[in-house]
Amino acid sequence: MNRPPKKFLSPGHNACAGCGQLVAVQAVMRGLDEDTIIANATGCLEVTTTAYPQSAWGLPWIHSLFENAASVASGIKAALKQKKDGKTKVLVQGGDGGTYDIGLGLISGMWERGENILYVCYDTEAYSNTGIQASGATPYGASTTTTPKGSESIGSTQAKKDMLAIALAHGLKYAAQSTAGYPDDITNKVKRALDVDGPSYLQILSPCIPGWQINNDEAVFMGKLAVETALYPLLEYKDGILNASSITGSFRAKPVAEYLKKQGRFKNLSEEDLKHIQSLADANLKRYRL
Ligand SMILES: Cc1ncc(C[n+]2csc(CCOP(=O)(O)OP(=O)(O)O)c2C)c(N)n1
Ligand code: SF4
Ligand SMILES: [Mg+2]
């Protein structure tokens, strides 16, 4: 009898219906093989897949603290080295809060040591699991529970931290960015990252239904629009050089308003704010055109 292929993340987890992060995770899992160990930071992904005593994971998987998933992965790598196991891959997963903010120092250490570990950040642009607080990944103009829109506020007025540039500054052999709108792109990037002998980083824009105030059938659509407006292009760097980008010679971006106006978190923007965000996309068109 033919058995269905083994799933590394089974159905039955309790993420919100339509969660963009879970779409992205499934695409990441399709890029792995069975000889993989996962260290997972605290966040929606961990909370929704491991309600004790159950687990949705079909691979060896360990939950760390919010801040130390990278160090746990380093420990796993050291144990594998001790056992002379050069075959088993190590993957770290965390949200943007765990990556851009609270785990950054330990991620930096892991990269500094040049360990052969893939780090994947699921960027929901907020601390989703604890009720949508602003993180270093929250973009200008987004309303969150710590940067709420109101009569005197548009939402966050901070710029989104350039985490990909921070990764590149560590001299990573492979660093890339994708979105939940392009699952095959995610899977291919995971495979290419794992082919590299050294540290690698993949950051995936993962639309969050309550956080972005979108309908539960819109996560993939928003992931596509983020790329089509050039606010979150698909990018891939090898040895620090940009070698793939969704902004090719003939690429024409859609206006950012098409993306922003469909999300409740951006409902308070003035014309001036729209212009500012358009200027961020225009800057991406120059910076990342191949
Ligand atoms: C040291 C510490 N501070 C705060 C928390 C509470 N906490 C758990 S999950 C979470 C939000 C995680 O945000 P992110 O990393 O972006 O992942 P997401 O839930 O958005 O996927 C927070 C603040 C914690 N577990 N540990
Ligand atoms: S709060 Fe957002 S990231 Fe968390 S499970 Fe729901 S949709 Fe996914
Ligand atoms: Mg998040």
Side-chain angles (χ1 to χ4, degrees):
M1 189 181 101
N2 284 338
R3 289 181 186 278
K6 190 169 160 48
K7 276 196 178 277
F8 295 155
L9 178 65
S10 307
H13 55 74
N14 54 25
C16 305
C19 169
Q21 180 165 190
L22 269 289
V23 172
V25 177
Q26 290 289 13
V28 169
M29 292 304 122
R30 289 194 287 276
L32 304 179
D33 65 34
E34 283 190 333
D35 290 316
T36 309
I37 300 174
I38 302 176
N40 209 131
T42 299
C44 267
L45 179 57
E46 162 266 323
V47 168
T48 60
T49 56
T50 54
Y52 183 81
Q54 293 167 334
S55 167
W57 296 97
L59 285 171
W61 181 98
I62 182 168
H63 170 215
S64 67
L65 297 178
F66 192 12
E67 58 273 39
N68 71 343
S71 297
V72 169
S74 292
I76 294 167
K77 196 75 202 166
L80 289 170
K81 193 175 169 195
Q82 190 67 21
K83 286 166 68 92
K84 302 198 182 339
D85 177 343
K87 191 172 164 229
T88 303
K89 311 269 189 195
V90 181
L91 169 78
V92 196
Q93 316 191 95
D96 49 291
T99 306
Y100 284 61
D101 300 339
I102 191 165
L104 185 56
L106 298 179
I107 294 168
S108 177
M110 176 183 72
W111 287 340
E112 212 179 292
R113 293 187 294 275
E115 290 161 343
N116 189 4
I117 294 170
L118 168 59
Y119 190 103
V120 177
C121 169
Y122 300 100
D123 180 8
T124 65
E125 302 195 315
Y127 292 78
S128 295
N129 190 247
T130 38
I132 331 292
Q133 292 82 23
S135 78
T138 300
Y140 179 90
S143 181
T144 70
T145 49
T146 49
T147 60
K149 63 187 173 198
S151 55
E152 310 223 344
S153 162
I154 60 158
S156 174
T157 50
Q158 287 188 199
K160 185 180 175 88
K161 197 186 286 183
D162 191 346
M163 188 62 205
L164 193 61
I166 293 172
L168 287 165
H170 286 76
L172 297 199
K173 290 191 171 182
Y174 187 94
Q177 155 170 309
S178 191
T179 82
Y182 297 85
D184 288 347
D185 181 70
I186 295 173
T187 304
N188 290 335
K189 282 177 173 157
V190 168
K191 287 181 180 165
R192 288 201 287 275
L194 290 172
D195 275 347
V196 163
D197 183 19
S200 48
Y201 177 65
L202 175 59
Q203 178 177 297
I204 309 169
L205 183 71
S206 305
C208 166
I209 307 300
W212 294 25
Q213 298 167 45
I214 55 175
N215 296 324
N216 62 12
D217 59 357
E218 288 181 332
V220 168
F221 177 56
M222 289 301 158
K224 284 190 192 300
L225 265 182
V227 173
E228 289 165 354
T229 54
L231 277 171
Y232 214 104
L234 307 175
L235 301 171
E236 183 180 68
Y237 288 84
K238 280 189 179 159
D239 294 318
I241 311 283
L242 182 64
N243 83 308
S245 169
S246 52
I247 304 175
T248 55
S250 59
F251 176 82
R252 295 282 170 275
K254 291 183 175 172
V256 295
E258 277 193 35
Y259 172 72
L260 302 172
K261 290 197 168 161
K262 291 192 172 69
Q263 300 176 43
R265 64 179 176 152
F266 290 117
K267 276 287 178 287
N268 245 18
L269 301 183
S270 65
E271 278 308 308
E272 210 175 305
D273 296 319
L274 281 177
K275 272 191 198 151
H276 171 63
I277 298 172
Q278 186 61 58
S279 77
L280 301 176
D282 293 346
N284 284 344
L285 289 177
K286 289 198 182 117
R287 184 173 176 192
Y288 299 120
R289 194 176 289 274
L290 266 189

